[in-house]
């Protein structure tokens, strides 16, 4: 998604929202969005054209926001 404009990202996730085979979840920490977790059925995705997909496979994307304010597992912050 690097370089994708706001309109393209909105279009992509509106498409995800319409599908029964794709799901996206916003992950929040202290009410701030910190990640997007996405699951999908590879048989219903273009990834199936790139690699072998077996019954029961689940696709996953995890996109993390940049670290801000020194919070995280390696920080001494709250």
């Amino acid at each position: 998604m690097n370089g994708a404009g706001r309109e393209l990202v909105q279009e992509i996730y509106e498409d995800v929202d319409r599908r029964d085979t794709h799901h996206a979840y916003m992950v929040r920490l202290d009410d701030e969005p910190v990640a997007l977790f996405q699951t999908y059925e590879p048989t219903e995705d273009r990834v199936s054209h790139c690699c072998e997909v077996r019954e029961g496979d689940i696709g996953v994307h995890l996109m993390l926001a940049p670290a801000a304010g020194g919070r995280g597992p390696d920080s001494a912050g709250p």
Side-chain angles (χ1 to χ4, degrees), residues 25-37 61-69 71-73 78:
Y25 306 92
M26 183 66 67
V27 180
R28 295 180 177 274
L29 176 64
D30 297 332
D31 210 29
E32 290 290 322
V34 295
L36 181 70
F37 180 66
H61 296 163
L62 177 61
M63 294 169 259
L64 302 175
R71 293 193 327 191

Side-chain angles (χ1 to χ4, degrees), residues 20-51:
D20 293 334
T21 57
H22 291 57
H23 307 283
Y25 306 92
M26 183 66 67
V27 180
R28 295 180 177 274
L29 176 64
D30 297 332
D31 210 29
E32 290 290 322
V34 295
L36 181 70
F37 180 66
Q38 182 178 338
T39 63
Y40 60 95
E41 293 179 27
T43 55
E44 301 299 320
D45 193 86
R46 66 179 182 214
V47 74
S48 66
H49 301 286
C50 303
C51 61

